[in-house]
Amino acid sequence: MEFKVTLSTEEIVRGLKHYRRIAKQDVLRAPETPNPDVFRVHAEARREVYARLAETAETDGPEAVVATALELYQNLPFVTGTSEDAYPEVKGQENALENFFLMIGLDPKVRREARKARKPIE
């Protein structure tokens, strides 16, 4: 897949840290939600993805972090259409990766191609 990264490593890491702080706040407010366990798992999954991507960006640079994110996204099971509280970890990872793609301005066509490669949950 062809993609162009216009953000620097520092900009990517800064954005990921911001997203990670939001996910941390969501973990802390999970007990106040109607379904605390699902909300917490979703937020923790997002935090883990952001941390992994930030680490990749710092060690390997912008192109490598985008390639890693696309690979992670393609390897996620496709869970769209399942009940709202089903598969919170997968949905949290998916949400984090899609937020990352928006942050870096990834061409929607590239994301759609990666999404098509995903297999349905079994």
Side-chain angles (χ1 to χ4, degrees):
M1 259 179 253
E2 190 71 25
F3 51 85
K4 186 174 71 175
V5 183
T6 57
L7 297 177
S8 69
T9 297
E10 294 78 26
E11 291 168 321
I12 291 172
V13 170
R14 195 170 343 137
L16 288 167
K17 284 183 179 176
H18 175 73
Y19 279 141
R20 196 161 176 223
R21 282 192 296 271
I22 291 169
K24 170 74 173 186
Q25 290 171 350
D26 287 348
V27 169
L28 296 174
R29 71 183 194 99
E32 303 163 14
T33 65
N35 201 337
D37 291 335
V38 170
F39 197 86
R40 179 187 48 75
V41 169
H42 188 281
E44 287 173 348
R46 292 185 352 249
R47 282 193 81 215
E48 289 169 15
V49 168
Y50 298 140
R52 180 172 178 186
L53 293 178
E55 185 178 310
T56 302
E58 288 173 331
T59 57
D60 301 323
E63 285 78 18
V65 73
V66 175
T68 298
L70 284 167
E71 182 181 332
L72 290 171
Y73 192 69
Q74 285 177 333
N75 291 329
L76 282 177
F78 193 76
V79 296
T80 302
T82 60
S83 71
E84 189 177 317
D85 58 349
Y87 310 107
E89 185 170 359
V90 173
K91 289 177 180 177
Q93 292 169 354
E94 178 182 54
N95 183 238
L97 292 164
E98 289 176 350
N99 286 340
F100 174 73
F101 297 148
L102 286 172
M103 180 187 82
I104 64 167
L106 184 71
D107 182 348
K109 183 180 172 202
V110 174
R111 187 187 63 82
R112 278 193 304 272
E113 287 177 26
R115 188 173 177 87
K116 283 184 206 170
R118 293 170 57 188
K119 307 276 186 266
I121 191 90
E122 300 197 5

